[in-house]
Amino acid sequence: MRLRPSHSGMARWGRQRGLTVIELMVAMALGLVVLLATGSLLISSTRAHAALVETAEMDDSGRYAMDALARAVRMAAHVDWELSPEPDSEAPARTMGLDATSLSRTDPGVDVLLPDAANGSDVLALRFPGSGNAPDGDGATLDCAGFPVNREEEGWSIFYVARNAQGAVELRCKYRGHSNWSSDAVAGGVDSFQVLYGLDTDEDGTPNRYVNASEVQALDAGLVLMAATPDARAAELRKRTHWKRVATVRVGLLLHGPRTDGALGGNIVHDLFGPDYGAAFAQTDRGTRLSEMALAGRAREIRMRRVYEVTVALPAMLPPASEAPEPEEPPDPVVAQR
């Protein structure tokens, strides 16, 4: 005999087949909390990944800029011994610089000067003779853009800071082509580019002190030139200029990366040449010491920033060992007594 459910039991089962309004609202609230937590986690992960990518790009730019600067400084000491075995003492200095200055992109060399584009950033101008026959040389001498320079031309590698078409500040490399001047970006996100020059005052091949470009120019202005005519005085200045006593070039570059928490980086001070130099010369050499709050501006845009620095020695311009004169043999003491 099969029992049939009572009407009261069937009614109770029917009432329990769905969710009540309260249960539905609780489930939706819990799902919304989980969705919001998942979305926040996704946004945080995306921001962290973007910050890592920007930091890696900043490091890559800094390392590339330091390598390009070091190669260009070493190239300034190049000598084509086959063409000119003896350096010309009256030739212009291979190394020179300007403080708190920018340049135009297409004007020759450093003929047209513009106001600095970022916190008193400097200009480093390097020149060198080419090698090999025209038009492309032998590939041994390259400018900062990687183009070869033949021995009939004079190569230039000029580093300066300027704004691009979008208004972003970047370190640029200016060079002379076969028919015109141009420049290419070396690194973006630049806050300051500073250069010091190690002067060898006693001609022992090592620097005795580091100075900026303005001080080198002041030392040249203090030279007493004895020549009678303007052309002769200019030739004497080219021969005696302190730019030819530069034994090392020290470069500091401050780059910015992703935004960070303002509470973590607001009190940071960036010294491009170390705290000792910053404490002594921050007032007279603008851009060598910069505070994070000053860089952040009114918007308080605190960013990750990093200083990249390199010191490059200029190789001595001596003839190859095969062409150097052999030392004379000392006289035999017995023969000398006779």
Side-chain angles (χ1 to χ4, degrees):
M1 180 179 180
R2 187 170 61 180
L3 298 177
R4 294 182 178 180
S6 63
H7 292 288
S8 60
M10 293 179 64
R12 185 170 63 253
W13 291 347
R15 288 195 300 270
Q16 293 180 349
R17 287 178 181 175
L19 296 175
T20 64
V21 174
I22 296 176
E23 291 172 336
L24 180 60
M25 293 179 65
V26 170
M28 291 177 63
L30 291 175
L32 183 60
V33 169
V34 173
L35 182 62
L36 289 175
T38 305
S40 300
L41 181 61
L42 178 61
I43 293 173
S44 300
S45 300
T46 302
R47 289 179 177 174
H49 180 265
L52 289 175
V53 171
E54 288 187 52
T55 303
E57 291 177 350
M58 178 183 66
D59 285 335
D60 289 342
S61 296
R63 286 192 294 266
Y64 176 77
M66 293 299 101
D67 181 66
L69 283 158
R71 284 188 282 107
V73 172
R74 295 189 184 100
M75 188 61 66
H78 168 73
V79 175
D80 191 343
W81 296 108
E82 296 181 357
L83 184 63
S84 57
E86 293 295 334
D88 185 1
S89 61
E90 294 186 1
R94 300 283 187 85
T95 305
M96 65 87 63
L98 299 165
D99 288 334
T101 303
S102 185
L103 303 173
S104 68
R105 180 175 182 177
T106 56
D107 289 308
V110 294
D111 291 349
V112 178
L113 307 183
L114 302 176
D116 71 279
N119 302 306
S121 292
D122 298 339
V123 172
L124 174 62
L126 305 161
R127 59 204 302 170
F128 58 92
S131 61
N133 298 323
D136 296 327
D138 57 9
T141 53
L142 307 175
D143 58 28
C144 57
F147 294 112
V149 180
N150 64 65
R151 60 165 49 111
E152 297 179 4
E153 300 175 336
E154 183 181 47
W156 283 83
S157 294
I158 306 175
F159 296 90
Y160 68 102
V161 173
R163 294 185 180 274
N164 59 20
Q166 290 73 37
V169 181
E170 57 190 15
L171 177 67
R172 302 192 66 85
C173 146
K174 186 175 182 179
Y175 56 93
R176 181 171 64 181
H178 292 303
S179 59
N180 60 346
W181 289 79
S182 186
S183 68
D184 295 330
V186 177
V190 176
D191 291 308
S192 184
F193 170 63
Q194 300 294 321
V195 186
L196 294 179
Y197 306 91
L199 291 184
D200 176 17
T201 58
D202 54 6
E203 300 182 358
D204 64 350
T206 59
N208 301 99
R209 58 174 175 150
Y210 281 92
V211 297
N212 60 12
S214 297
E215 190 164 351
V216 178
Q217 293 168 355
L219 290 171
D220 276 359
L223 292 174
V224 178
L225 304 178
M226 306 302 294
T229 64
D231 291 342
R233 285 193 293 271
E236 183 182 354
L237 178 59
R238 288 195 300 269
K239 184 177 181 179
R240 298 175 56 193
T241 176
H242 288 79
W243 288 113
K244 291 188 176 180
R245 298 186 182 184
V246 174
T248 57
V249 176
R250 188 177 180 185
V251 177
L253 182 66
L254 178 63
L255 302 181
H256 65 252
R259 296 179 178 87
T260 60
D261 186 359
L264 299 178
N267 298 322
I268 296 177
V269 175
H270 306 282
D271 288 307
L272 274 71
F273 298 123
D276 293 338
Y277 186 88
F281 300 102
Q283 299 300 321
T284 57
D285 196 357
R286 187 165 64 94
T288 55
R289 167 173 281 190
L290 297 168
S291 68
E292 183 62 36
M293 293 306 296
L295 291 170
R298 295 181 179 179
R300 292 295 184 265
E301 190 179 60
I302 306 299
R303 288 179 172 271
M304 178 183 293
R305 288 180 167 86
R306 192 163 297 171
V307 175
Y308 301 87
E309 184 180 351
V310 65
T311 301
V312 186
L314 289 168
M317 293 188 293
L318 299 175
S322 59
E323 299 182 8
E326 297 182 359
E328 297 181 359
E329 291 290 336
D332 188 349
V334 176
V335 175
Q337 289 178 3
R338 291 179 183 176

